[in-house]
């Protein structure tokens, strides 16, 4: 008797994820940014467990901040684009290793401080007021299923 496949994972189309890119006008610590953001919102962003990325030579830790918007019943998560710390797992023996002690989740967007993610498929980031003169407008960005960050967000969701 032949086993019948219920799903062919090569044929499944994964939905893209809509995220927001947050750039700060001036450098400031996380706690200061979220303190000012919490002051002008009815949201209360708080620090949650870090997103952990396991590389070949390092484990990278990315701070995450989360809040729940009661009116829209939406959970918003800010993820730091730049690792806050890294733990070296083994010594690099290759001369041209591409892994360093600092990692960006979006390598081509190193000027982005935070990645804003929502529990909604089509998020409305306009419900979050950001401090004036400290933040540039949120840039909408779409992650395809072939991108590394897509897999990471799916894992942590």
């Amino acid at each position: 008797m032949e086993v019948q496949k219920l799903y062919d994972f090569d044929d499944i189309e994964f939905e893209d994820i809509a995220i927001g890119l947050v750039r700060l006008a001036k450098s400031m610590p996380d706690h200061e940014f979220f303190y000012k953001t919490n002051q002008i919102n009815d949201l209360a962003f708080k620090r949650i467990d870090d997103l952990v990325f396991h590389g070949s030579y390092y484990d990278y830790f990315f701070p995450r901040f989360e809040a729940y918007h009661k009116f829209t019943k939406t959970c918003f998560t800010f993820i730091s684009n730049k690792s806050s710390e890294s733990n070296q797992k083994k010594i690099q023996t290759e001369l041209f290793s591409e892994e360093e002690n600092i990692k960006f989740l979006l390598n081509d967007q190193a000027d982005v401080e935070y990645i804003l993610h929502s529990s909604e498929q089509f998020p409305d980031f306009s419900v979050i007021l950001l401090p004036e003169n400290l933040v540039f407008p949120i840039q909408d960005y779409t992650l395809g299923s072939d991108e590394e960050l897509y897999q990471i967000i799916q894992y942590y969701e």
Side-chain angles (χ1 to χ4, degrees), residues 16 25 32 38 43-44 62 89 92 105 107 129 134 140:
D16 291 345
E32 184 178 336
N38 286 342
L43 296 165
F62 299 89
K89 296 191 291 190
Q92 292 185 14
L105 290 173
N107 290 324
L129 299 174
L134 296 179
D140 292 330

Side-chain angles (χ1 to χ4, degrees), residues 105-122:
L105 290 173
L106 292 171
N107 290 324
D108 57 337
Q109 304 280 347
D111 62 331
V112 170
E113 272 77 23
Y114 301 104
I115 298 161
L116 180 55
H117 178 255
S118 169
S119 58
E120 298 290 319
Q121 184 173 358
F122 302 106

